[in-house]
Amino acid sequence: MKSPVTVALVGNPNAGATSLFNALTGAQSAVANYQRVTTSLSTREISHRGVSLRIVDVPGIFSTSSQSPEEKIGCDYLHGEEPDVIVNVLDAGHLDRSLFLTTQLIETGLPRITVLNMIDEVRRAGIRIDTAMLASALGSPVVETCALKKEGIEALLDAVVGVVSAPPVTPLRLHYDSHLEAAIDRVQQHMAELHPQELSPVRSRWLATKLLEGDDEILRHESNHVELVDEIRGEQSTLAHEHDEDAATLLASARFAFSNGLLREVRQQTEDPTAGFKLTRILDDVFLNRSLGLPLLLGILWVMFEATFSLGAIPTDWIKAGVQLATDLVDKTLPEGMFHDLVINGVMAGVGGTIVFLPNIVILFFFMAVLSGTGYLARASFLMDRVMHHFGLHGTTLIPMVAGFGCNVPAVMATSVITNKRARLIAMLISPFMSCSARLPVFILFAGAFFSNIAGTVVFAMYMASIGTAMLSAVLLNRIIPGSGSDAFVMELPPYRLPTMHSVLHHMWDSAQGFVAKVTGVILVGSVVIWFLQEFPRNIVYSQDFETAITEMESRADSPAKDEALRSLKATQAQEKLEKSYLGRSAIAVTPLFEPLGFSWRESASIMTGFVAKEVVVATYAVIYAQEKQSDGLTAALRGAMPPATAVAFMIFTLLYAPCLSTIAIIAREARSWRWAGFSVAYSLTFAWILALAVSKIGQHLL
Ligand code: GDP
Ligand code: MG
């Protein structure tokens, strides 16, 4: 152990650092309830439990990169020296302000102790602070003190000695959005080249963050590295372009989000909402209200899905008409034959049957963009987190939830911010239950076909089922998976903002592009493959001689009865051909598995193809029904094919069963084990099967 150990008292001006310094060392430095009293470093050595400590009273600062002359000494100290321990003195009555500095001190990666000073005032105001929670969220011991009455001084000294004699721990890390993280990474690499050996990873991350933030002091240090400075300017302008905000603001709001979220968790009573971000606090009092919060969330989500369904219907009709037009045109121009059938019944049916959902997807993403841009989505996670607390789970597992509504792949990747391995695994395993946008077409198709009056509500219900299953799974997995612990985690609550037009349009455009890419990629290929599978083999032995029967029927005199008989003959023939095709045969082989759920081989076929990507489920249906010549459309065909209870069971099954191939692959990669990926498949299949069975049994009685 180093001797003496340097212990720096760092806090906002007026937080009580000097009073604490005096209490710790018995010194008589000037204390005043005025901000700029300590203007130079005072140092005194003491000894506690045989450890000699060099206590430094650092003049108060609000931020580690403050430009004001009063804060210069404090900032310079932190930049120039590396104390062994930082004692972060907080004014416990004004945690909002104090925690901002804390977030920056976390980034220095130095061992810290968090001191809640002026705890007397807090107690007097009837505010309770959950120190255990605070300690794990900040990654440091927390000590309550009243410097004035010299309370908590022994505990503080014990904590200091504890930290210096404990083995070093991995420091906590705040995480920023992906662009920012990527930029930090690049700057760090550049710095590593410039200063080999000198920098620890934590220190270099801190410096990189500071450089991006535009810290003049550190920039001056690096001013002879022209390339680095240029790179930083470049990164800053890219970030500004991507976010409509400069890097410093981005960092500041990420830090605010962290401390705001943390406060909502650890403090029992909110304090006077006058300082900063007032609107945010007022809105949070409404949206995060213990009794109003959840109903409001449900209401907002309901409106979102209702609009996704009903607003989407209008442009969907145009696209449908367009697809019909194109199909007719191709039908006329292409000569009869296999290629004609492949294009019409394979490509046009599959691609056309899926592309019609483009408006719904874009509208959903519009809402998602608005909700996340305003900061409401973070509140949604917070509210769900609160529910999870009842099951002894902390919110870490919910991180991927929001990302999961778009696509499960980024949701699984988002779990990388969770440091506790077990908590991360649980989060990964539940993310496939979040209903990604690939499932939306299935819901819209089925809800529209079977429950046209309340279709929006049905889609909403499916999403609720998705969230509910994910949460239930988290609780179950928490019991099943051995080991313990999910680290305390702060649900970040960023300030409310009006989303920029730019970012909303960007989201919608992205989602539209992504969907079109899927349709012209995996769905196109899938439709062609499915068409071939249902077309071959060709040498089918029919149960009766359809050709003769049809020719015989056609020779009869025209009558409605004749038309009907012809139609039915052809349909039976088509169905038999399908059932004896490769697609039909393989689907029929697995159908016994799904029979208890009421699924026919068509559902089995869709389920199997959906393993590749869930978007293919609808395409499969479209191709199968196109073949059966159900000319009155997929919707009507579906309605005739199964009772509503089975339709709901199918929606539930599609929602929950095995993640698509890309998600399985990403789980294997992120969990570094194919076994967990396999587990995820087996687990979700079981879950889907049981729930679908329950739904179809209950549904039979209700619907
Ligand atoms: P510094 O600027 O961080 O060095 O803060 P000071 O030590 O100068 O203290 C600022 C003001 O807070 C002074 O009026 C102190 O008397 C008061 N103070 C410090 N610690 C406490 C405490 O634990 N409780 C209360 N009630 N007041 C305190
Ligand atoms: Mg002072």
Side-chain angles (χ1 to χ4, degrees):
M1 195 191 297
K2 249 174 77 178
S3 191
V5 173
T6 306
V7 181
L9 302 176
V10 185
N12 288 169
N14 219 25
T18 303
S19 308
L20 211 54
F21 178 78
N22 291 347
L24 287 165
T25 64
Q28 298 291 333
S29 300
V31 169
N33 189 12
Y34 178 73
Q35 290 196 348
R36 314 291 174 204
V37 174
T38 316
T39 49
S40 62
L41 296 166
S42 345
T43 306
R44 265 181 103 131
E45 273 190 40
I46 58 166
S47 155
H48 184 72
R49 300 196 194 283
V51 181
S52 57
L53 306 171
R54 197 168 147 265
I55 315 268
V56 184
D57 180 13
V58 180
I61 52 176
F62 287 109
S63 149
T64 53
S65 49
S66 295
Q67 306 301 325
S68 71
E70 296 96 331
E71 294 172 57
K72 191 168 179 343
I73 297 175
C75 289
D76 285 353
Y77 176 81
L78 284 176
H79 291 169
E81 315 271 324
E82 275 195 43
D84 302 304
V85 182
I86 290 181
V87 170
N88 181 198
V89 186
L90 307 186
D91 174 350
H94 295 91
L95 282 179
D96 320 52
R97 247 181 289 149
S98 316
L99 278 172
F100 187 78
L101 176 63
T102 307
T103 58
Q104 296 187 317
L105 294 177
I106 288 174
E107 284 168 1
T108 64
L110 296 169
R112 279 169 300 114
I113 290 169
T114 307
V115 171
L116 298 179
N117 192 36
M118 315 224 187
I119 200 71
D120 51 324
E121 290 189 352
V122 174
R123 291 198 182 120
R124 213 174 308 133
I127 297 169
R128 285 203 308 131
I129 297 171
D130 183 345
T131 49
M133 163 75 203
L134 191 64
S136 55
L138 293 177
S140 80
V142 171
V143 182
E144 298 183 331
T145 62
C146 170
L148 217 52
K149 295 183 206 135
K150 301 200 181 3
E151 277 172 29
I153 304 303
E154 275 293 305
L156 174 55
L157 285 169
D158 285 348
V160 171
V161 171
V163 165
V164 294
S165 42
V169 287
T170 355
L172 187 74
R173 224 175 106 156
L174 295 188
H175 54 92
Y176 302 112
D177 96 332
S178 53
H179 292 140
L180 204 47
E181 286 287 352
I184 291 175
D185 233 39
R186 285 190 291 268
V187 175
Q188 251 182 295
Q189 269 167 24
H190 198 139
M191 304 236 305
E193 286 159 22
L194 292 177
H195 310 276
Q197 303 130 20
E198 272 173 52
L199 293 172
S200 69
V202 180
R203 186 85 183 163
S204 97
R205 180 180 162 86
W206 184 55
L207 288 177
T209 315
K210 290 268 139 215
L211 282 170
L212 282 172
E213 200 175 352
D215 189 305
D216 285 349
E217 192 56 38
I218 298 185
L219 267 176
R220 209 163 325 147
H221 271 289
E222 303 288 343
S223 55
N224 47 341
H225 302 301
V226 182
E227 272 172 52
L228 179 65
V229 175
D230 280 349
E231 182 186 344
I232 285 157
R233 301 260 181 263
E235 295 284 4
Q236 283 172 335
S237 71
T238 319
L239 283 170
H241 179 75
E242 275 162 349
H243 293 267
D244 293 336
E245 257 168 350
D246 59 26
T249 316
L250 281 174
L251 285 161
S253 49
R255 290 175 186 137
F256 170 76
F258 178 85
S259 62
N260 189 29
L262 180 56
L263 276 181
R264 289 268 162 189
E265 294 247 13
V266 302
R267 196 172 47 193
Q268 288 294 326
Q269 183 193 311
T270 45
E271 63 196 36
D272 150 38
T274 42
F277 297 107
K278 184 170 175 180
L279 182 66
T280 290
R281 300 228 165 76
I282 295 170
L283 288 176
D284 272 348
D285 285 341
V286 178
F287 286 123
L288 300 181
N289 184 291
R290 276 183 192 271
S291 33
L292 266 182
L294 274 177
L296 268 172
L297 171 64
L298 292 180
I300 290 170
L301 290 180
W302 182 81
V303 168
M304 165 163 130
F305 289 113
E306 181 60 40
T308 299
F309 185 85
S310 31
L311 286 183
I314 305 161
T316 297
D317 285 343
W318 304 336
I319 299 183
K320 261 189 195 151
V323 169
Q324 191 57 51
L325 219 76
T327 311
D328 289 347
L329 199 73
V330 177
D331 195 11
K332 283 195 195 100
T333 40
L334 280 183
E336 289 278 324
M338 199 171 99
F339 185 67
H340 170 275
D341 290 353
L342 168 66
V343 172
I344 299 283
N345 296 335
V347 176
M348 298 297 268
V351 168
T354 316
I355 195 78
V356 293
F357 297 104
L358 178 65
N360 305 105
I361 300 229
V362 172
I363 293 173
L364 179 67
F365 274 84
F366 163 79
F367 278 99
M368 294 295 284
V370 170
L371 289 186
S372 74
T374 49
Y376 184 74
L377 227 40
R379 272 71 190 177
S381 311
F382 188 89
L383 288 168
M384 293 195 281
D385 180 37
R386 208 184 260 162
V387 177
M388 298 300 274
H389 282 306
H390 294 297
F391 302 103
L393 269 176
H394 205 76
T396 33
T397 41
L398 293 178
I399 296 173
M401 283 219 160
V402 169
F405 280 139
C407 172
N408 296 158
V409 172
V412 172
M413 298 203 298
T415 61
S416 64
V417 301
I418 305 173
T419 44
N420 182 294
K421 261 177 123 177
R422 181 169 170 277
R424 178 159 183 227
L425 187 62
I426 296 180
M428 253 185 247
L429 292 174
I430 66 165
S431 31
F433 289 134
M434 294 315 289
S435 186
C436 67
S437 59
R439 275 96 137 181
L440 185 66
V442 181
F443 301 156
I444 299 219
L445 177 66
F446 277 73
F450 290 90
F451 307 97
S452 52
N453 293 333
I454 49 159
T457 309
V458 171
V459 175
F460 163 76
M462 294 316 293
Y463 275 83
M464 290 304 105
S466 143
I467 297 172
T469 316
M471 286 164 101
L472 179 66
S473 276
V475 175
L476 276 178
L477 291 169
N478 192 36
R479 300 258 158 86
I480 301 171
I481 296 178
S484 71
S486 63
D487 21 63
F489 178 80
V490 177
M491 276 286 156
E492 286 157 22
L493 294 176
Y496 286 97
R497 292 223 171 87
L498 279 180
T500 61
M501 194 66 162
H502 174 85
S503 76
V504 171
L505 288 179
H506 185 77
H507 259 81
M508 292 166 71
W509 176 241
D510 257 11
S511 69
Q513 262 188 327
F515 186 67
V516 170
K518 275 258 172 81
V519 170
T520 51
V522 66
I523 291 172
L524 179 68
V525 174
S527 305
V528 169
V529 172
I530 293 161
W531 185 84
F532 274 103
L533 287 176
Q534 57 81 48
E535 186 66 19
F536 287 88
R538 284 240 158 119
N539 54 344
I540 290 173
V541 183
Y542 289 105
S543 56
Q544 73 180 93
D545 189 350
F546 284 106
E547 296 304 328
T548 323
I550 289 172
T551 325
E552 197 264 333
M553 189 62 69
E554 272 169 346
S555 65
R556 291 191 193 178
D558 281 351
S559 77
K562 170 190 160 184
D563 291 346
E564 178 52 39
L566 258 179
R567 226 182 65 87
S568 135
L569 262 178
K570 284 185 180 163
T572 322
Q573 183 192 23
Q575 190 166 340
E576 198 173 331
K577 180 178 159 229
L578 266 174
E579 282 173 7
K580 289 183 172 163
S581 69
Y582 290 125
L583 182 72
R585 276 191 258 163
S586 49
I588 286 168
V590 298
T591 303
L593 270 177
F594 299 116
E595 237 148 45
L597 314 181
F599 296 171
S600 76
W601 69 269
R602 293 180 191 79
E603 282 74 52
S604 316
S606 306
I607 287 168
M608 286 197 302
T609 55
F611 267 107
V612 179
K614 296 236 167 141
E615 285 94 343
V616 188
V617 171
V618 169
T620 308
Y621 264 114
V623 174
I624 293 178
Y625 283 105
Q627 198 56 32
E628 291 187 354
K629 295 279 182 300
Q630 303 268 13
S631 54
D632 36 355
L634 195 47
T635 316
L638 280 175
R639 219 178 295 139
M642 64 183 95
T646 309
V648 178
F650 185 73
M651 282 194 268
I652 289 281
F653 196 87
T654 312
L655 167 64
L656 303 177
Y657 87 95
C660 68
L661 283 186
S662 339
T663 310
I664 298 173
I666 201 83
I667 291 179
R669 196 188 84 190
E670 296 286 309
R672 296 219 184 77
S673 126
W674 280 99
R675 225 185 286 159
W676 280 118
F679 175 83
S680 168
V681 175
Y683 175 76
S684 54
L685 270 174
T686 316
F687 222 100
W689 197 88
I690 295 174
L691 237 72
L693 181 70
V695 164
S696 76
K697 292 289 172 232
I698 298 168
Q700 275 166 11
H701 297 287
L702 295 180
L703 297 171

PDB file of all heavy atoms in Angstrom, residues 342-358:
ATOM      1  N   LEU A 342     -44.491 -19.060 -61.407  1.00  0.00           N
ATOM      2  CA  LEU A 342     -43.515 -18.687 -60.386  1.00  0.00           C
ATOM      3  C   LEU A 342     -43.620 -17.203 -60.061  1.00  0.00           C
ATOM      4  O   LEU A 342     -43.659 -16.805 -58.895  1.00  0.00           O
ATOM      5  CB  LEU A 342     -42.094 -19.023 -60.862  1.00  0.00           C
ATOM      6  CG  LEU A 342     -40.957 -18.428 -60.031  1.00  0.00           C
ATOM      7  CD1 LEU A 342     -40.936 -19.031 -58.634  1.00  0.00           C
ATOM      8  CD2 LEU A 342     -39.607 -18.654 -60.703  1.00  0.00           C
ATOM      9  N   VAL A 343     -43.728 -16.393 -61.106  1.00  0.00           N
ATOM     10  CA  VAL A 343     -43.780 -14.947 -60.877  1.00  0.00           C
ATOM     11  C   VAL A 343     -45.094 -14.552 -60.201  1.00  0.00           C
ATOM     12  O   VAL A 343     -45.102 -13.829 -59.202  1.00  0.00           O
ATOM     13  CB  VAL A 343     -43.585 -14.174 -62.200  1.00  0.00           C
ATOM     14  CG1 VAL A 343     -43.827 -12.690 -61.985  1.00  0.00           C
ATOM     15  CG2 VAL A 343     -42.178 -14.412 -62.734  1.00  0.00           C
ATOM     16  N   ILE A 344     -46.193 -15.073 -60.735  1.00  0.00           N
ATOM     17  CA  ILE A 344     -47.494 -14.655 -60.210  1.00  0.00           C
ATOM     18  C   ILE A 344     -47.757 -15.243 -58.816  1.00  0.00           C
ATOM     19  O   ILE A 344     -48.052 -14.526 -57.862  1.00  0.00           O
ATOM     20  CB  ILE A 344     -48.634 -15.084 -61.160  1.00  0.00           C
ATOM     21  CG1 ILE A 344     -48.457 -14.445 -62.524  1.00  0.00           C
ATOM     22  CG2 ILE A 344     -49.995 -14.733 -60.555  1.00  0.00           C
ATOM     23  CD1 ILE A 344     -48.834 -13.004 -62.606  1.00  0.00           C
ATOM     24  N   ASN A 345     -47.652 -16.544 -58.706  1.00  0.00           N
ATOM     25  CA  ASN A 345     -48.044 -17.196 -57.450  1.00  0.00           C
ATOM     26  C   ASN A 345     -46.926 -17.260 -56.416  1.00  0.00           C
ATOM     27  O   ASN A 345     -47.174 -17.516 -55.249  1.00  0.00           O
ATOM     28  CB  ASN A 345     -48.533 -18.616 -57.730  1.00  0.00           C
ATOM     29  CG  ASN A 345     -49.790 -18.618 -58.567  1.00  0.00           C
ATOM     30  OD1 ASN A 345     -50.542 -17.648 -58.556  1.00  0.00           O
ATOM     31  ND2 ASN A 345     -49.999 -19.684 -59.322  1.00  0.00           N
ATOM     32  N   GLY A 346     -45.702 -17.069 -56.890  1.00  0.00           N
ATOM     33  CA  GLY A 346     -44.585 -17.081 -55.941  1.00  0.00           C
ATOM     34  C   GLY A 346     -44.186 -15.668 -55.585  1.00  0.00           C
ATOM     35  O   GLY A 346     -44.536 -15.138 -54.525  1.00  0.00           O
ATOM     36  N   VAL A 347     -43.509 -15.021 -56.523  1.00  0.00           N
ATOM     37  CA  VAL A 347     -42.934 -13.702 -56.244  1.00  0.00           C
ATOM     38  C   VAL A 347     -43.997 -12.645 -55.951  1.00  0.00           C
ATOM     39  O   VAL A 347     -43.979 -11.999 -54.898  1.00  0.00           O
ATOM     40  CB  VAL A 347     -42.050 -13.256 -57.426  1.00  0.00           C
ATOM     41  CG1 VAL A 347     -41.530 -11.851 -57.192  1.00  0.00           C
ATOM     42  CG2 VAL A 347     -40.909 -14.240 -57.619  1.00  0.00           C
ATOM     43  N   MET A 348     -44.952 -12.501 -56.858  1.00  0.00           N
ATOM     44  CA  MET A 348     -45.926 -11.425 -56.678  1.00  0.00           C
ATOM     45  C   MET A 348     -46.782 -11.670 -55.439  1.00  0.00           C
ATOM     46  O   MET A 348     -47.101 -10.742 -54.699  1.00  0.00           O
ATOM     47  CB  MET A 348     -46.833 -11.299 -57.910  1.00  0.00           C
ATOM     48  CG  MET A 348     -46.108 -10.941 -59.178  1.00  0.00           C
ATOM     49  SD  MET A 348     -45.304  -9.333 -59.125  1.00  0.00           S
ATOM     50  CE  MET A 348     -46.551  -8.278 -59.770  1.00  0.00           C
ATOM     51  N   ALA A 349     -47.153 -12.919 -55.230  1.00  0.00           N
ATOM     52  CA  ALA A 349     -47.985 -13.213 -54.057  1.00  0.00           C
ATOM     53  C   ALA A 349     -47.212 -12.955 -52.766  1.00  0.00           C
ATOM     54  O   ALA A 349     -47.696 -12.270 -51.860  1.00  0.00           O
ATOM     55  CB  ALA A 349     -48.478 -14.656 -54.108  1.00  0.00           C
ATOM     56  N   GLY A 350     -45.991 -13.464 -52.685  1.00  0.00           N
ATOM     57  CA  GLY A 350     -45.207 -13.350 -51.448  1.00  0.00           C
ATOM     58  C   GLY A 350     -44.762 -11.925 -51.182  1.00  0.00           C
ATOM     59  O   GLY A 350     -45.003 -11.365 -50.110  1.00  0.00           O
ATOM     60  N   VAL A 351     -44.119 -11.337 -52.192  1.00  0.00           N
ATOM     61  CA  VAL A 351     -43.614  -9.979 -52.024  1.00  0.00           C
ATOM     62  C   VAL A 351     -44.767  -8.989 -51.914  1.00  0.00           C
ATOM     63  O   VAL A 351     -44.799  -8.142 -51.028  1.00  0.00           O
ATOM     64  CB  VAL A 351     -42.672  -9.614 -53.197  1.00  0.00           C
ATOM     65  CG1 VAL A 351     -42.362  -8.138 -53.203  1.00  0.00           C
ATOM     66  CG2 VAL A 351     -41.398 -10.433 -53.105  1.00  0.00           C
ATOM     67  N   GLY A 352     -45.737  -9.146 -52.822  1.00  0.00           N
ATOM     68  CA  GLY A 352     -46.884  -8.240 -52.808  1.00  0.00           C
ATOM     69  C   GLY A 352     -47.679  -8.378 -51.518  1.00  0.00           C
ATOM     70  O   GLY A 352     -48.165  -7.404 -50.959  1.00  0.00           O
ATOM     71  N   GLY A 353     -47.784  -9.614 -51.039  1.00  0.00           N
ATOM     72  CA  GLY A 353     -48.557  -9.854 -49.816  1.00  0.00           C
ATOM     73  C   GLY A 353     -47.881  -9.270 -48.589  1.00  0.00           C
ATOM     74  O   GLY A 353     -48.519  -9.065 -47.560  1.00  0.00           O
ATOM     75  N   THR A 354     -46.590  -9.010 -48.664  1.00  0.00           N
ATOM     76  CA  THR A 354     -45.873  -8.499 -47.509  1.00  0.00           C
ATOM     77  C   THR A 354     -45.662  -6.989 -47.584  1.00  0.00           C
ATOM     78  O   THR A 354     -45.750  -6.291 -46.590  1.00  0.00           O
ATOM     79  CB  THR A 354     -44.505  -9.198 -47.374  1.00  0.00           C
ATOM     80  OG1 THR A 354     -44.684 -10.589 -47.580  1.00  0.00           O
ATOM     81  CG2 THR A 354     -43.932  -8.980 -46.000  1.00  0.00           C
ATOM     82  N   ILE A 355     -45.398  -6.514 -48.801  1.00  0.00           N
ATOM     83  CA  ILE A 355     -45.076  -5.086 -48.946  1.00  0.00           C
ATOM     84  C   ILE A 355     -46.256  -4.210 -48.520  1.00  0.00           C
ATOM     85  O   ILE A 355     -46.080  -3.068 -48.123  1.00  0.00           O
ATOM     86  CB  ILE A 355     -44.658  -4.767 -50.413  1.00  0.00           C
ATOM     87  CG1 ILE A 355     -43.973  -3.400 -50.504  1.00  0.00           C
ATOM     88  CG2 ILE A 355     -45.837  -4.782 -51.363  1.00  0.00           C
ATOM     89  CD1 ILE A 355     -42.553  -3.404 -50.038  1.00  0.00           C
ATOM     90  N   VAL A 356     -47.471  -4.772 -48.538  1.00  0.00           N
ATOM     91  CA  VAL A 356     -48.637  -3.985 -48.157  1.00  0.00           C
ATOM     92  C   VAL A 356     -48.568  -3.543 -46.689  1.00  0.00           C
ATOM     93  O   VAL A 356     -49.299  -2.651 -46.276  1.00  0.00           O
ATOM     94  CB  VAL A 356     -49.957  -4.751 -48.388  1.00  0.00           C
ATOM     95  CG1 VAL A 356     -50.190  -4.971 -49.863  1.00  0.00           C
ATOM     96  CG2 VAL A 356     -49.967  -6.060 -47.649  1.00  0.00           C
ATOM     97  N   PHE A 357     -47.679  -4.139 -45.920  1.00  0.00           N
ATOM     98  CA  PHE A 357     -47.596  -3.748 -44.512  1.00  0.00           C
ATOM     99  C   PHE A 357     -46.618  -2.616 -44.275  1.00  0.00           C
ATOM    100  O   PHE A 357     -46.425  -2.173 -43.143  1.00  0.00           O
ATOM    101  CB  PHE A 357     -47.224  -4.954 -43.649  1.00  0.00           C
ATOM    102  CG  PHE A 357     -48.267  -6.020 -43.703  1.00  0.00           C
ATOM    103  CD1 PHE A 357     -48.071  -7.167 -44.451  1.00  0.00           C
ATOM    104  CD2 PHE A 357     -49.471  -5.850 -43.038  1.00  0.00           C
ATOM    105  CE1 PHE A 357     -49.048  -8.139 -44.539  1.00  0.00           C
ATOM    106  CE2 PHE A 357     -50.454  -6.818 -43.113  1.00  0.00           C
ATOM    107  CZ  PHE A 357     -50.247  -7.962 -43.855  1.00  0.00           C
ATOM    108  N   LEU A 358     -46.016  -2.143 -45.355  1.00  0.00           N
ATOM    109  CA  LEU A 358     -45.059  -1.045 -45.221  1.00  0.00           C
ATOM    110  C   LEU A 358     -45.623   0.154 -44.453  1.00  0.00           C
ATOM    111  O   LEU A 358     -44.986   0.653 -43.521  1.00  0.00           O
ATOM    112  CB  LEU A 358     -44.551  -0.630 -46.608  1.00  0.00           C
ATOM    113  CG  LEU A 358     -43.574   0.533 -46.642  1.00  0.00           C
ATOM    114  CD1 LEU A 358     -42.283   0.168 -45.935  1.00  0.00           C
ATOM    115  CD2 LEU A 358     -43.273   0.949 -48.074  1.00  0.00           C
TER     116      LEU A 358
END
